[in-house]
Amino acid sequence: MAEQPIAVGLNLGHDGGCAIVSGNQVVAIAEERLNRTRYSGGWQAALAYCLDAADVTLADVGIVVFSCVGPRLERGFTGGLQRYGVDARRIESVDHHLSHAYGAFCLSGADEALVVVADGSGNDHQTESYFLASPSGLVRVGGNRAGRPRAGGIGATYEAVTNWLGFDGQESGKTMALASYGDPKAVGLPLFDVVDAQVEGRLERTHDRGLAEFAAAAGLDLGRPHAWSEPRARDLAAWAQEQTEDALTDVITHLLAEHRQTTVCLAGGVAMNCVANEAIRRRTGADLFVPPPASDRGQAIGNAFHGIHRLTGTVPSLPLTGRDSFGRTYTDDEVLLALRRHPFSGLTERHPHRPFAYRRESDPAAAAAELIAQGKLIGWFDGGSELGARALGSRSILADPRQEATRDVLNTRIKHREFFRPFAPAVLGEFADTWFEVDQDSPYMLFAPRVRAQYRNRLGAVTHVDGTARVQTVDPTAHPAFHRLITRFEELTGVPVVLNTSFNDSEPIVETPAHAVATFCRTGLDALVFSSGFIAVKTDV
């Protein structure tokens, strides 16, 4: 048995995955990164990956904690792990919202905090839950009213509008982006009543049918369904966004006063709304922490933290220090296997065989910056992968942020996204408040401050239509190679910013060197750079 208590967290819902916590070590990954299916359920491949990366066996594990969404797991649920020698007495389950709360608080570094969880659905129709957290435990102090339909929650309502616009329930980020093109006052009806911290949404049924019924009863013209390109749809998105910001702000303002707290940890899928996060932070004055894996991608890590609490009696504190990298690192030998297209690398190519040449590079960050300054689109692979949904410099596509046309090139050649979805800037932390209206570090792209007016024409590719940007501040300690890259780009161009988007094309973000090579070959990327010292460039262009 290993000396440190070891906990495994497994998520059964969408965005399934695994996390292992042992002492100060945390390894975690979403199942989708391995099976290459977006929003995938499951945890089996992720468990094998984490056990290998943590160098432990199931026999070393003191507790396994499951969570799910919807109906609670039956008492005695084991997930079949007893077949692999895990004693059923070491297997437990935890409430969905409590798992979110553990994940947020344990990564925050706060001594105590108010934790607010808001999502589309937890267990038992929960959509909002509130906790007071300290090293001794997490205590639920409120949430949505028992018996209120799930449809009346903040996340479920936002999801209903998202569906009406023609997007999947997991694509609420598209609604957030589209909102900037609309007029929130064009609708003129409230979506929520908030009394104290109780949220009573106006919808009685979920998804687009619930929104349609609400509109019919209120005499509201929603326009055509699934028609996001029409002006009315843009106003609906803006309406839902403003109503969400107002409801969250009202809830948090009341809770801060009631419980005399100043620090808030926000988790659940709603917490991925960086525009709302910016509004909450500015309007409440709270010290607001949002973990990068705030959505259900973070369930597994919350489960594992809960398991450590069960084993030790103390809530663990493993604060993030500017980097969301819980995946394993890859050796030069593994990178070379992929670059050589060796079958042992796991490389799968479902496209015409694209020729490329690769070389060793003594300063890959500087070389990457020079390519970006020349207008090239590059794939950037550095260290362990991110757990959250945002690429933060570990598995990124990088480009020159200066020209608005870069967005169109990226969408045409690689990302194939809707025109209204913005790309994000990664800025050297020491220049952040010069170029953006920020007053704190923002290392995880979870806030959307305004780009300073005098620099918007120099950041055309990353400035949204409303003048905001989903900023990532880059610290040299957390991201030494990525910081060096942006530093060199600033030396070449005078702009301490690069465009940073996820390393994928309509698929999960790449995990392995082989995934990176496959996506490099399949898309319009000009180069692939491994921070460990390799560069690949296509030879048929």
Side-chain angles (χ1 to χ4, degrees):
M1 173 68 72
E3 293 183 4
Q4 294 278 5
I6 299 174
V8 170
L10 300 170
N11 176 28
L12 291 176
H14 63 83
D15 291 313
C18 175
I20 295 180
V21 176
S22 174
N24 292 324
Q25 181 187 29
V26 183
V27 179
I29 193 168
E31 188 79 359
E32 69 164 23
R33 299 290 177 90
L34 303 173
N35 68 19
R36 312 307 296 151
T37 301
R38 295 187 76 185
Y39 314 121
S40 172
W43 47 265
Q44 291 82 352
L47 173 61
Y49 171 104
C50 289
L51 288 170
D52 180 65
D55 192 25
V56 298
T57 69
L58 284 173
D60 299 321
V61 173
I63 190 170
V64 178
V65 181
F66 283 96
S67 67
C68 68
V69 66
R72 296 180 184 274
L73 297 173
E74 295 181 1
R75 187 177 181 85
F77 177 84
T78 66
L81 286 176
Q82 72 275 16
R83 300 174 186 173
Y84 301 97
V86 180
D87 190 324
R89 292 172 295 182
R90 291 191 286 139
I91 303 173
E92 297 184 6
S93 62
V94 64
D95 174 79
H96 185 90
H97 278 191
L98 183 58
S99 173
H100 274 313
Y102 269 96
F105 179 65
C106 295
L107 293 175
S108 72
D111 294 328
E112 60 179 30
L114 168 70
V115 185
V116 175
V117 178
D119 60 12
S121 179
N123 300 127
D124 301 332
H125 302 291
Q126 293 175 347
T127 56
E128 295 88 35
S129 294
Y130 319 131
F131 302 85
L132 290 180
S134 70
S136 60
L138 281 75
V139 178
R140 193 174 191 272
V141 293
N144 60 272
R145 173 177 57 83
R148 191 214 64 194
R150 180 174 80 84
I154 296 173
T157 300
Y158 202 91
E159 180 181 61
V161 176
T162 296
N163 294 157
W164 181 267
L165 297 175
F167 308 133
D168 183 80
Q170 298 296 319
E171 297 178 322
S172 294
K174 295 184 180 182
T175 303
M176 179 183 73
L178 186 62
S180 297
Y181 290 82
D183 176 7
K185 306 302 183 186
V187 177
L189 287 176
L191 273 171
F192 306 103
D193 295 309
V194 180
V195 179
D196 296 333
Q198 290 287 325
V199 177
E200 298 287 346
R202 299 294 182 90
L203 272 59
E204 296 181 358
R205 298 180 69 189
T206 59
H207 302 99
D208 47 2
R209 65 182 180 272
L211 186 65
E213 291 174 0
F214 164 73
L220 173 65
D221 176 20
L222 294 175
R224 294 192 306 122
H226 304 170
W228 62 259
S229 62
E230 297 182 359
R232 187 57 171 173
R234 302 177 187 192
D235 292 341
L236 291 177
W239 169 57
Q241 179 65 34
E242 182 178 75
Q243 292 287 304
T244 295
E245 293 171 16
D246 289 347
L248 287 168
T249 299
D250 288 349
V251 165
I252 291 173
T253 298
H254 176 84
L255 291 170
L256 287 171
E258 180 182 5
H259 298 288
R260 299 181 180 180
Q261 294 289 323
T262 58
T263 299
V264 177
C265 299
L266 184 61
V270 173
M272 296 303 296
N273 191 314
C274 60
V275 177
N277 294 344
E278 184 72 18
I280 292 165
R281 191 180 70 82
R282 293 191 179 276
R283 287 160 63 178
T284 67
D287 179 8
L288 181 62
F289 173 77
V290 185
S295 69
D296 282 7
R297 297 168 194 262
Q299 280 281 293
I301 203 167
N303 297 351
F305 286 141
H306 172 77
I308 292 295
H309 185 199
R310 294 277 290 137
L311 292 173
T312 66
T314 301
V315 176
S317 179
L318 294 169
L320 291 178
T321 55
R323 186 163 187 151
D324 170 36
S325 296
F326 294 103
R328 55 158 292 202
T329 57
Y330 291 85
T331 66
D332 283 357
D333 287 343
E334 290 173 303
V335 172
L336 284 169
L337 280 176
L339 290 171
R340 292 167 179 163
R341 289 175 150 140
H342 195 287
F344 287 177
S345 71
L347 178 64
T348 302
E349 298 182 87
R350 301 184 180 92
H351 49 81
H353 197 81
R354 297 291 301 275
F356 64 85
Y358 69 88
R359 68 178 188 272
R360 288 189 178 271
E361 176 59 55
S362 60
D363 193 345
E370 289 160 13
L371 289 168
I372 296 168
Q374 296 166 17
K376 305 298 184 183
L377 308 178
I378 72 162
W380 174 253
F381 191 106
D382 177 34
S385 60
E386 301 93 344
L387 178 60
R390 308 265 161 82
L392 300 172
S394 297
R395 303 289 186 274
S396 291
I397 290 172
L398 305 177
D400 190 330
R402 293 174 292 174
Q403 301 299 322
E404 187 174 346
T406 302
R407 292 193 308 225
D408 297 331
V409 174
L410 263 172
N411 275 327
T412 300
R413 290 171 50 183
I414 302 170
K415 300 295 286 189
H416 308 111
R417 306 192 325 179
E418 295 86 353
F419 78 90
F420 59 82
R421 296 172 63 190
F423 290 103
V427 58
L428 296 175
E430 56 268 35
F431 287 91
D433 63 351
T434 301
W435 289 70
F436 303 93
E437 294 181 9
V438 297
D439 54 13
Q440 64 175 24
D441 291 337
S442 179
Y444 309 120
M445 287 187 191
L446 287 166
F447 298 94
R450 300 186 69 79
V451 182
R452 294 199 183 275
Q454 65 268 35
Y455 293 118
R456 289 176 191 169
N457 63 345
R458 299 182 68 185
L459 296 176
V462 295
T463 301
H464 199 28
V465 67
D466 61 355
T468 65
R470 192 179 65 203
V471 171
Q472 176 194 3
T473 56
V474 180
D475 176 80
T477 302
H479 284 279
F482 194 28
H483 189 276
R484 174 166 172 71
L485 184 158
I486 305 173
T487 298
R488 179 57 180 154
F489 184 80
E490 192 274 335
E491 292 170 353
L492 293 167
T493 67
V495 177
V497 180
V498 296
L499 182 155
N500 180 12
T501 188
S502 53
F503 195 162
N504 63 343
D505 170 21
S506 305
E507 62 177 354
I509 298 174
V510 302
E511 165 59 25
T512 69
H515 296 159
V517 169
T519 300
F520 165 59
C521 290
R522 188 178 67 251
T523 65
L525 281 170
D526 296 303
L528 170 60
V529 183
F530 292 91
S531 68
S532 57
F534 298 94
I535 293 183
V537 180
K538 288 172 182 159
T539 57
D540 62 345
V541 293

